[in-house]
Amino acid sequence: MSVELESVERKVIAAACKYGETIIVGVRHYDGVMHGQLKQMPQRGLELVESRGDVVQGFIDNKGNFLDRVEALALVKESGQPFYPNRNGGDGSELYSEGVW
């Protein structure tokens, strides 16, 4: 039995950073997985734009969409995905990976 992607409820599934049009993912922002991807970017001809302030921290959902921290928090709350506000960092207006896993 196949499930249509449109019928699957959206969930936040990974931390992500968006460098221009390039998105890197990891369990947490700037964990070992993300650092490994960042090291590969220049070797693959991709420019690091972090120094220009063009990086956006956020998450990806199970449909491959990038969400900034505010959008991701709204999705987690709307979807009923497990959320731990006492572990979520910041002022409560943005999602941090500690708030969901």
Side-chain angles (χ1 to χ4, degrees):
M1 175 170 100
S2 68
V3 177
E4 293 294 323
L5 193 55
E6 288 77 31
S7 68
V8 175
E9 187 172 335
R10 287 176 64 203
K11 302 276 186 195
V12 169
I13 62 165
C17 289
K18 189 172 184 181
Y19 292 81
E21 296 302 312
T22 302
I23 298 170
I24 61 169
V25 298
V27 176
R28 300 211 187 279
H29 293 92
Y30 298 104
D31 65 3
V33 174
M34 280 194 183
H35 278 287
Q37 293 170 66
L38 287 169
K39 287 179 185 177
Q40 293 296 314
M41 289 177 75
Q43 296 172 18
R44 296 177 186 261
L46 298 170
E47 178 185 359
L48 285 174
V49 293
E50 182 178 35
S51 62
R52 295 196 317 244
D54 293 341
V55 63
V56 179
Q57 290 187 16
F59 295 83
I60 59 167
D61 67 14
N62 58 323
K63 296 186 180 191
N65 300 304
F66 179 83
L67 308 164
D68 67 25
R69 287 182 181 271
V70 173
E71 294 167 329
L73 180 60
L75 176 58
V76 164
K77 289 181 174 181
E78 177 185 304
S79 71
Q81 183 171 349
F83 176 61
Y84 309 97
N86 59 325
R87 293 187 347 209
N88 195 53
D91 63 5
S93 67
E94 300 179 321
L95 185 64
Y96 287 74
S97 56
E98 292 81 2
V100 285
W101 53 79

